[in-house]
Amino acid sequence: MKIVFLDAKTIGEDLDLKGFDELGEVVKYDFSPDEEILERVRDADVIVTNKANISEKTVSGAEKLKVVCVTATGTNNLDKPYLEKRGIIWHNVAGYSTESVAQHTFAMLFYLLEKLRYYDDYVKEERYVNDKIFTHFEKTFWQISGKTWGIAGLGEIGRRVAQIAEAFGCRVIYYSTSGKNHNSTYEEVDFDTLLAQSDILSVHAPLNEETKGLFNEAAFEKMKPEAIFLNLGRGPIVNEGDLAGALSQGKIAGAGLDVLSAEPMARDNPLRLIKDSEKLLITPHIAWAGLEARTRLMEIVLQQIKESLEKISKN
């Protein structure tokens, strides 16, 4: 049996993947352009991929293909009708990164809220050496205890963020982006109330017709000028040009983004022009990627492959 990893770089080189070697021959490619996939998977029984496109065009010649595993939650890179027509089993993975994303949410918040870039530079530039007094708090920050934390999308990650925010003493409110998910533990509000009342507003929603472009100029106009906005959902949920304008004009105090409309970042992204780290923090889609999260991810993928092959052997 042959297992082909099409974009192994996306899961990192610091994981123990010996379990896959026990199943058969394993071939790993760092990345796979569409035009190279067909030849690479021609004799594959199993494909493991994150973002490589799996369609009739790319895998039609893979006559032995039985299983496709996506090392992510999103599956828009799969042509599911084609795979199902061929009887190829496909899997994605959900819930593996909840703790990692929640942790990163707070890391981004505190970096912005407590002006950590400024204070780190203040010490490392030796301005604190032989200073006049023992303390220096030129840049004002506030406690989150007693403040309102708003959440757009109260799924598994959103609920974990809500729990941690409550532990810090926040009042938690949420907006259901689908209108279908309700939670009696926290206060549900409409979108305008979420915008108007949140001191911190974090997005943990999927990208769909309801959420695409949800945070635009009109939305940022309704937020508090001291509010901090965090997007750990999907990039296109935010109109990046409108966010750049809101930050430049002081309509909100700061924004932290781990996702962008185009990844890697496009040269024409208007947020590239904002160099003030007290206003904007962008991380390169790393919230999901804590070591434990990636380890769990690949453990789940390995188990999915084993179970799928066992199921096929019984039929």
Side-chain angles (χ1 to χ4, degrees), residues 302-315:
L302 179 59
Q303 189 62 30
Q304 288 173 339
I305 293 172
K306 289 179 178 178
E307 291 175 358
S308 295
L309 294 175
E310 184 178 349
K311 179 181 177 181
I312 291 169
S313 68
K314 290 180 179 178
N315 291 338

Side-chain angles (χ1 to χ4, degrees), residues 28 36 123 133-134 177 194 205 233 236 245 271 296:
K28 299 186 184 76
E36 296 182 21
V123 173
I133 58 174
F134 74 95
T177 56
L194 182 84
L271 295 170
R296 175 167 167 71

Side-chain angles (χ1 to χ4, degrees), residues 101-228:
V101 176
Q103 175 176 299
H104 195 70
T105 301
F106 283 84
M108 298 187 91
L109 169 69
F110 291 128
Y111 178 92
L112 291 163
L113 176 65
E114 299 206 357
K115 312 295 192 296
L116 294 182
R117 172 65 182 271
Y118 168 81
Y119 287 112
D120 186 39
D121 287 346
Y122 181 80
V123 173
K124 286 179 176 165
E125 291 169 3
E126 300 195 356
R127 286 182 282 160
Y128 188 50
V129 174
N130 296 322
D131 207 348
K132 293 182 175 62
I133 58 174
F134 74 95
T135 187
H136 174 90
F137 44 89
E138 179 72 21
K139 300 288 185 177
T140 301
F141 59 92
W142 36 268
Q143 298 177 167
I144 66 173
S145 178
K147 299 297 191 294
T148 297
W149 189 305
I151 297 174
L154 199 70
E156 188 172 346
I157 293 172
R159 290 194 301 274
R160 185 64 179 128
V161 169
Q163 291 169 354
I164 300 169
E166 273 200 323
F168 273 103
C170 294
R171 168 197 174 216
V172 175
I173 60 176
Y174 78 95
Y175 168 68
S176 172
T177 56
S178 68
K180 299 175 183 176
N181 298 322
H182 309 286
N183 188 304
S184 60
T185 304
Y186 305 105
E187 181 184 350
E188 184 174 3
V189 298
D190 60 30
F191 188 53
D192 283 352
T193 302
L194 182 84
L195 297 171
Q197 294 190 6
S198 296
D199 298 294
I200 304 143
L201 199 166
S202 61
V203 181
H204 306 284
L207 177 64
N208 52 40
E209 290 302 315
E210 286 77 28
T211 61
K212 187 175 182 179
L214 181 64
F215 288 89
N216 55 20
E217 182 179 9
F220 295 124
E221 288 277 0
K222 295 173 182 176
M223 291 179 66
K224 297 179 179 181
E226 66 272 19
I228 293 176

Side-chain angles (χ1 to χ4, degrees), residues 1-4 44-48 65-67 69 305 309:
M1 190 189 69
K2 185 174 183 179
I3 302 171
V4 176
D45 297 278
V46 178
I47 291 173
V48 179
L65 186 60
K66 303 174 185 69
V67 183
C69 289
I305 293 172
L309 294 175

Side-chain angles (χ1 to χ4, degrees), residues 260-280:
L260 297 171
S261 58
E263 297 171 347
M265 190 177 196
R267 286 197 170 275
D268 61 355
N269 189 314
L271 295 170
R272 283 187 67 217
L273 302 176
I274 300 178
K275 304 300 184 183
D276 185 349
S277 294
E278 292 177 35
K279 282 187 175 290
L280 178 65

